[in-house]
Amino acid sequence: MDQVAALELRSVDLQSSRNNKEHHTQEMGLKRLIVRRGQLFTLQLHFNRPFQFQTDHITFVAETGPAPMELLGTRAIFSLTQARQGNVWSASDFTIDSDSLFVSLFTPANAVIGSYTLKIEISQGQGHSSTHPLGTFILLFNPWSAEDDVHLPSEALLREYILTDYGFVYKGQKRLITARPWNYGQFEEDIIDICFEILNKSLYFLKNPSKDCSQRNDVVYVCRVVSAMINSNDDRGVLQGNWGEDYSMGVSPLEWNGSVAILRQWSARGGQPVMYGQCWVFAAVMCTVMRCLGVPTRVVSNFRSAHNADGNLTIDTYYNRNAEMLPNQKQDKIWNFHVWNECWMIRKDLPPGYNGWQVLDPTPQQTSSGLFCCGPASVKAIKEGEVQLPYDTPFVYAEVNADEVIWLFGDGQAQEILAHNTSSIGNEISTKMVGSDQRQNITSSYKYPEGSPEERSVFMKASQKMLGPGRASSPFLDLLGSGDFQDQPAQLQLHLARMPEWGRDLLLKLHARRVADRAHPRAPIRLEVRFCAQALLHKGGAREPLWRQTVHLNLDFGQEIEWPLLLPFNNYGNKLTDEKLIRVSGIAKVKETGRSMLVLKDISLEPPHLSIKASERAEVGKALGVHITLTNNLTVALSNCVMVLEGSGLIDGQISNELGTLLPGHTIQIQLDLYPIKAGPRQLQVLISSNEVKEIKGYQDIFVAAAGAS
């Protein structure tokens, strides 16, 4: 009987196209193998002769990281078997077709994510053995697998939080929330490589590469690393923050349309931080990275968000007699809005009941374990006041629950409390609705209804955990307890008399009504009301006053007065930040008592609106007509207008056009053709920026048919 020839590998087919489709990674490309852990994928091995299971022995070796070791979980050795062995690396379910062997490989649902090399060792009996490289593959988290810590059991949610590559960031103020489109672009072909480049530039990797790679099986660990690496405060992270006014060394945070350009610039320049980001840019880029790695992620906005640096659950704000908001001497601040991420995961490091959405915040506000990162903090733990649970739960709890105390300041000290607001912080917590362009209010996920027994009970529980049982010795408690500042002889409100538009005078009305109080139950009162307008800074605080006015009112009991106020454009035109927010403050002094009252109105000035129209039918590779219109309805010209178009699957990179100056009352019309690259639902993002208005944004949803589809 002739001796059987030694088994030799002639070729290998990683079947990337088929496997990637089955693993929901085909949008990243079909030329290389990208799979998710906890799920089978198939290889075809072509030999010099038919494979014989009884005598031919095949062992697979998969390795990742700089120094792979079985002990660290970065090296796996497994032999071909007839049946799968459970949640371990295995090669099984093989079929033989002539000289080809089709074999299914399984990666455990807790495997380290990363780029792997795969090879086989072939041996026959006690004799000769040979090793052959099979190629490389990328392994990602798998939210489709019930065994994975990121498992999300809903196709609609998976479509939104993993597969959708565009969305919205919610900005503005709680009474006028604006949706700004964003291109996440997590499936652009080079983004997956940049995501692992981010992990490989982290301080954890640089300090101990082998240990860092071995911990990449843990989604909690990976999230914390990414949270630290999106900002550049400690490391060569992706974005440099800038909350000033000078963006001349880079790009204004308002002028980004999406994450792809930022990530590509960071990578192309060898890890130099991209200038510049603010909270929504940090969060949107982190959303791209986490969705790319396979972790369900969304972007969340919190309106009037507290930064409570000293952890006392109170933010103090100060005004002087002239109604001017004063700089805060402490680090405490109230952001007009703040944007963070939520990632979906099982928290095996916490007691039962805290799985699901977890807050991660890549904006560098304060350190956590020595680095500028934040989270994951369980949203459920925040709602229940379980602030002792990791990570950074007290900080996030304060962002949505801190009390605001507003003081009248004079002669170098706080003189009286103007207001104590228990519900002004943590409003309209918002994210994009699943499968829709609408906004979803998720405030009830973070806290019980304001003022409800449950909410106050949770607040007291969290307070005692954060401050200790001696909280009753707060310096302002006596003033609060007296309630004197609540017993006022008049009700004051500021209203807009017409829609505010940048470039026009602002018309407001002061509404004053005399009500009963303890000191002068029904007597007439005289009020001196000093008004002040200031440009609001996004990070909290305000610029120097840009307008002042004083009004004297006499109010009989039960009387109501409306007093008109005019804030001319000339006063604010060149005084605002790029976000175009104004705070009008009024402090009314009651002549009879010497006590003071506060009235506030925040005004958001909307930019002109873009109109975007696209052809009714879009198909891969065929011209898609797009018509963009912008009318300057302001009273001033918009100079140095630049248009940037972006949209994953529609445009490769960006299209940029200089449009020149747009005079008041004039209209720009742009007609152009796009040639869509990918089928499916897409979003075209359009930004027009100018010297005067940095952020005029619009979007158009477009469904692209596959090439040749009838």
Side-chain angles (χ1 to χ4, degrees):
M1 185 176 176
D2 293 338
Q3 186 167 350
V4 177
L7 189 69
E8 296 175 6
L9 183 69
R10 293 286 165 84
S11 64
V12 60
D13 179 3
L14 298 179
Q15 303 206 321
S16 301
S17 178
R18 172 187 163 186
N19 287 321
N20 288 10
K21 286 174 183 172
E22 290 180 356
H23 286 248
H24 306 94
T25 61
Q26 70 270 28
E27 287 269 312
M28 297 180 185
L30 300 173
K31 293 177 183 172
R32 56 179 175 164
L33 184 59
I34 305 172
V35 292
R36 300 186 186 277
R37 63 188 194 174
Q39 186 175 337
L40 292 165
F41 62 96
T42 306
L43 310 178
Q44 180 184 5
L45 306 177
H46 184 69
F47 297 107
N48 59 325
R49 61 166 174 81
F51 172 77
Q52 297 176 359
F53 182 69
Q54 301 301 328
T55 55
D56 296 326
H57 302 291
I58 293 179
T59 301
F60 290 84
V61 181
E63 297 178 326
T64 188
M69 292 174 59
E70 282 186 272
L71 190 64
L72 293 175
T74 50
R75 186 171 199 251
I77 302 171
F78 48 102
S79 298
L80 183 64
T81 56
Q82 288 181 310
R84 187 157 73 81
Q85 306 294 312
N87 188 36
V88 294
W89 289 86
S90 61
S92 59
D93 303 327
F94 62 88
T95 57
I96 300 166
D97 180 8
S98 183
D99 293 347
S100 289
L101 175 70
F102 292 86
V103 60
S104 294
L105 267 59
F106 181 82
T107 61
N110 59 349
V112 167
I113 64 163
S115 180
Y116 281 79
T117 58
L118 186 64
K119 57 189 177 185
I120 57 167
E121 295 174 355
I122 303 172
S123 63
Q124 289 164 296
Q126 301 299 313
H128 174 75
S129 70
S130 58
T131 301
H132 306 268
L134 299 183
T136 62
F137 67 93
I138 292 173
L139 189 64
L140 303 176
F141 292 109
N142 190 355
W144 281 267
S145 167
E147 304 302 315
D148 199 306
D149 285 352
V150 300
H151 178 232
L152 184 57
S154 161
E155 278 299 323
L157 297 185
L158 288 165
R159 201 159 43 246
E160 182 69 52
Y161 298 131
I162 291 286
L163 299 179
T164 298
D165 59 6
Y166 58 85
F168 299 97
V169 174
Y170 295 100
K171 301 172 60 181
Q173 48 135 326
K174 64 180 180 180
R175 290 192 179 85
L176 187 62
I177 295 172
T178 54
R180 296 290 184 241
W182 193 272
N183 180 36
Y184 296 124
Q186 68 265 33
F187 299 125
E188 297 289 315
E189 289 202 18
D190 53 344
I191 295 299
I192 183 67
D193 303 301
I194 297 172
C195 290
F196 284 108
E197 192 182 339
I198 288 170
L199 296 181
N200 290 345
K201 280 194 165 62
S202 80
L203 293 180
Y204 295 102
F205 181 85
L206 297 176
K207 182 179 178 182
N208 190 333
S210 296
K211 182 182 178 186
D212 173 72
C213 286
S214 75
Q215 291 179 276
R216 292 183 188 176
N217 64 326
D218 178 5
V219 63
V220 171
Y221 177 80
V222 172
C223 282
R224 279 183 69 74
V225 172
V226 173
S227 171
M229 277 299 295
I230 297 300
N231 69 72
S232 60
N233 281 40
D234 310 290
D235 42 44
R236 298 179 70 185
V238 176
L239 280 156
Q240 182 174 323
N242 185 341
W243 288 270
E245 303 295 317
D246 181 6
Y247 306 118
S248 57
M249 298 294 289
V251 175
S252 162
L254 295 169
E255 294 183 54
W256 296 112
N257 257 349
S259 308
V260 177
I262 293 168
L263 290 166
R264 284 177 174 166
Q265 180 182 317
W266 176 81
S267 177
R269 296 183 181 176
Q272 283 293 109
V274 176
M275 299 184 287
Y276 292 104
Q278 288 182 11
C279 62
W280 67 91
V281 187
F282 290 116
V285 172
M286 182 159 182
C287 183
T288 297
V289 173
M290 297 316 300
R291 285 187 185 181
C292 186
L293 294 176
V295 181
T297 304
R298 61 189 186 183
V299 172
V300 172
S301 297
N302 177 37
F303 290 87
R304 302 210 80 233
S305 186
H307 179 179
N308 188 206
D310 55 14
N312 67 351
L313 285 176
T314 302
I315 307 290
D316 297 311
T317 310
Y318 300 92
Y319 288 82
N320 65 18
R321 290 273 175 208
N322 296 318
E324 180 183 344
M325 186 181 181
L326 301 174
N328 197 333
Q329 301 307 311
K330 298 194 296 181
Q331 285 185 299
D332 284 11
K333 58 173 75 83
I334 301 173
W335 302 86
N336 301 324
F337 65 91
H338 184 54
V339 185
W340 57 66
N341 300 98
E342 286 178 2
C343 293
W344 181 274
M345 67 190 75
I346 291 170
R347 290 295 299 274
K348 291 177 178 172
D349 59 324
L350 299 184
Y354 299 101
N355 299 333
W357 291 116
Q358 313 286 320
V359 171
L360 284 130
D361 188 351
T363 298
Q365 292 192 82
Q366 70 174 30
T367 59
S368 172
S369 302
L371 294 180
F372 277 94
C373 65
C374 179
S378 163
V379 173
K380 179 75 166 149
I382 294 160
K383 182 171 182 174
E384 300 300 337
E386 300 295 347
V387 293
Q388 78 282 5
L389 297 177
Y391 290 87
D392 309 305
T393 310
F395 184 77
V396 183
Y397 181 86
E399 287 184 300
V400 298
N401 282 299
D403 284 0
E404 178 186 20
V405 179
I406 303 176
W407 299 84
L408 181 65
F409 193 86
D411 300 327
Q413 62 182 12
Q415 295 180 329
E416 63 176 294
I417 291 178
L418 297 170
H420 172 216
N421 299 323
T422 60
S423 61
S424 65
I425 286 170
N427 302 140
E428 294 290 333
I429 304 174
S430 302
T431 193
K432 178 185 177 296
M433 195 174 284
V434 173
S436 162
D437 288 351
Q438 299 301 305
R439 178 178 68 89
Q440 181 181 358
N441 186 330
I442 57 170
T443 309
S444 62
S445 301
Y446 281 82
K447 52 187 179 180
Y448 291 98
E450 292 286 3
S452 67
E454 296 92 340
E455 185 263 342
R456 284 291 95 185
S457 169
V458 167
F459 186 84
M460 291 310 296
K461 175 169 71 172
S463 299
Q464 287 172 355
K465 287 180 178 178
M466 291 171 69
L467 307 173
R471 181 175 190 269
S473 61
S474 302
F476 59 88
L477 197 72
D478 293 340
L479 278 165
L480 290 182
S482 71
D484 282 352
F485 65 95
Q486 295 169 325
D487 181 42
Q488 300 289 9
Q491 292 173 347
L492 302 178
Q493 289 179 310
L494 275 170
H495 300 286
L496 284 163
R498 69 177 179 204
M499 277 297 291
E501 291 180 21
W502 193 80
R504 295 182 67 186
D505 296 347
L506 303 179
L507 293 178
L508 299 101
K509 283 189 289 192
L510 171 67
H511 184 92
R513 179 168 171 261
R514 172 75 171 99
V515 293
D517 65 307
R518 288 198 301 248
H520 297 80
R522 292 178 175 272
I525 58 168
R526 292 168 297 159
L527 301 179
E528 180 191 65
V529 193
R530 297 184 185 183
F531 290 101
C532 172
Q534 294 169 275
L536 269 184
L537 305 174
H538 169 60
K539 63 181 178 181
R543 281 183 171 176
E544 291 293 309
L546 53 87
W547 169 86
R548 296 183 192 275
Q549 188 168 330
T550 301
V551 171
H552 292 88
L553 301 176
N554 295 320
L555 281 174
D556 291 329
F557 180 74
Q559 185 181 7
E560 294 187 34
I561 292 177
E562 280 197 345
W563 192 278
L565 299 168
L566 176 71
L567 204 173
F569 173 65
N570 289 342
N571 282 70
Y572 74 80
N574 60 353
K575 302 281 179 59
L576 303 187
T577 70
D578 290 337
E579 298 213 355
K580 308 285 189 272
L581 274 171
I582 299 174
R583 171 164 295 175
V584 178
S585 318
I587 289 189
K589 185 172 183 179
V590 184
K591 296 280 189 180
E592 285 71 17
T593 64
R595 300 292 310 283
S596 300
M597 293 182 289
L598 175 72
V599 61
L600 298 174
K601 183 69 176 176
D602 289 349
I603 302 170
S604 180
L605 300 170
E606 276 287 273
H609 290 276
L610 281 172
S611 166
I612 307 166
K613 290 188 169 63
S615 308
E616 289 202 7
R617 178 166 172 75
E619 186 178 322
V620 170
K622 290 195 174 177
L624 169 67
V626 175
H627 188 80
I628 300 163
T629 307
L630 174 65
T631 298
N632 182 3
N633 55 6
L634 308 179
T635 58
V636 294
L638 300 177
S639 56
N640 292 324
C641 294
V642 177
M643 179 182 72
V644 179
L645 274 69
E646 195 167 325
S648 288
L650 296 171
I651 299 168
D652 184 12
Q654 296 177 323
I655 296 172
S656 185
N657 282 331
E658 293 185 4
L659 306 177
T661 297
L662 181 57
L663 296 172
H666 286 222
T667 298
I668 290 179
Q669 298 198 40
I670 302 114
Q671 185 83 39
L672 73 162
D673 287 339
L674 304 179
Y675 293 84
I677 306 157
K678 293 180 180 178
R682 304 291 162 196
Q683 187 188 76
L684 175 66
Q685 297 95 14
V686 181
L687 163 72
I688 295 181
S689 62
S690 67
N691 290 351
E692 291 72 22
V693 182
K694 293 294 182 193
E695 189 184 35
I696 303 173
K697 285 188 175 178
Y699 74 96
Q700 178 67 42
D701 291 333
I702 297 168
F703 186 84
V704 180
S710 56

